[in-house]
Amino acid sequence: MDKKNALRAGALASGTTLMMLLMSSPALALTRDDGDDPGQGLSVVETLALYVIAPIVIFAVIAGLVMVLDKSHKKKDPTSSNITTKADATA
């Protein structure tokens, strides 16, 4: 019974994937729409800068601002951080 369900799930997944691949064919991108006015393409360096380097830089700036402007380190923990113990206690 398990093999039948696995086969059915595999057939459904492969059929769905095949249909998605056929419907999103790159050949459809060759047909121009009315009013379509694409600009000049990006070079490899421009693409990497826009989609890889820029998000990393933005993330680093936001993370840096959060760390610099964080005020929670100035608060004292009232439960355990201000308790002092004596090492030479005698009983």
Side-chain angles (χ1 to χ4, degrees):
M1 198 64 160
D2 267 350
K3 289 182 181 181
K4 186 186 273 188
N5 286 340
L7 185 63
R8 187 178 296 152
L12 180 66
S14 63
T16 303
T17 304
L18 181 64
M19 288 303 295
M20 288 176 65
L21 286 173
L22 289 174
M23 294 303 291
S24 64
S25 172
L28 295 174
L30 297 176
T31 307
R32 300 286 299 271
D33 291 332
D34 291 336
D36 191 15
D37 189 20
Q40 199 174 20
L42 296 175
S43 69
V44 173
V45 174
E46 291 171 334
T47 303
L48 287 175
L50 184 62
Y51 294 108
V52 176
I53 297 171
I56 291 173
V57 168
I58 292 170
F59 176 80
V61 167
I62 292 172
L65 286 172
V66 167
M67 287 191 298
V68 167
L69 300 175
D70 185 26
K71 305 281 188 205
S72 66
H73 66 278
K74 293 181 181 178
K75 295 179 184 176
K76 288 288 185 182
D77 186 15
T79 57
S80 62
S81 65
N82 58 0
I83 296 174
T84 56
T85 59
K86 295 180 182 178
D88 297 329
T90 58

